[in-house]
Amino acid sequence: MKALLTFIFLTSLSLGAFAQIDTASYPKERQEIRQLLRSQVPNTNIDCADMIAVGPKGDISFTRQQWIEAQKKEKLVFKSVRPVPGNEFIRIYDGTTAVVNLLINVNIVVDGRDMNIKVRRLEVYHKTAGNWCRVAGQGTQVDENLFPVTNK
């Protein structure tokens, strides 16, 4: 019995250690990604040539131009995009790949109507030739009736 309890305790500790979010490694790269996220303005290109984007209705774009055309088709214009402080989670792999989950406040015009929404984004960045570019992204509008979001 004692051995079983010891095994369960040690297993719990080791699983907890593996489940920790790495927030310390690659501090320079983390800061570069944070700066990139916070300095985005509409119509600024941060996308790699081989970027893939999935739109809010599940549509997929294999280039930045296809993504822009999908926005035009939906009569969508971005006015501002601002990360919600305390809701940016960045993981860096080998110093050249970043996986980012963030919450953003988005001010958009859809078919002539102003809208303010919160969107949870999952984005992947790649660093090449000393610069970061986005290789993939997908966003989901947060239903604040189900999941209220408060700014920290």
Side-chain angles (χ1 to χ4, degrees):
M1 183 65 167
K2 207 182 229 186
L4 179 62
L5 289 175
T6 302
F7 175 76
I8 291 171
F9 177 73
L10 291 176
T11 302
S12 298
L13 282 178
S14 66
L15 288 176
F18 287 114
Q20 298 297 316
I21 296 174
D22 179 4
T23 59
S25 64
Y26 300 102
K28 176 181 170 267
E29 287 78 4
R30 286 176 189 283
Q31 186 55 36
E32 291 170 349
I33 291 293
R34 271 190 210 92
Q35 183 61 33
L36 184 65
L37 295 172
R38 293 176 184 163
S39 65
Q40 287 186 53
V41 294
N43 301 319
T44 300
N45 186 3
I46 61 167
D47 298 321
C48 295
D50 59 347
M51 182 271 296
I52 294 176
V54 177
K57 295 182 179 178
D59 53 305
I60 189 165
S61 301
F62 293 99
T63 66
R64 177 174 173 74
Q65 190 57 42
Q66 285 180 352
W67 185 66
I68 290 169
E69 292 302 319
Q71 291 173 22
K72 286 179 185 176
K73 182 180 174 186
E74 296 296 324
K75 298 179 183 173
L76 180 91
V77 177
F78 286 90
K79 292 172 73 176
S80 68
V81 176
R82 294 178 322 279
V84 176
N87 286 278
E88 300 165 333
F89 306 97
I90 302 169
R91 292 191 176 152
I92 305 288
Y93 299 92
D94 300 324
T96 60
T97 304
V99 177
V100 179
N101 185 288
L102 73 157
L103 182 66
I104 55 177
N105 285 312
V106 181
N107 181 271
I108 56 176
V109 176
V110 180
D111 200 16
R113 295 175 301 154
D114 276 324
M115 296 179 69
N116 291 301
I117 60 173
K118 286 192 172 56
V119 176
R120 174 69 61 193
R121 294 275 308 161
L122 181 61
E123 299 180 342
V124 180
Y125 292 84
H126 179 66
K127 190 174 190 178
T128 181
N131 295 310
W132 290 98
C133 61
R134 183 172 44 203
V135 293
Q138 180 169 2
T140 302
Q141 183 176 346
V142 176
D143 182 343
E144 292 197 79
N145 291 321
L146 291 175
F147 304 104
V149 177
T150 57
N151 293 343
K152 294 181 180 182

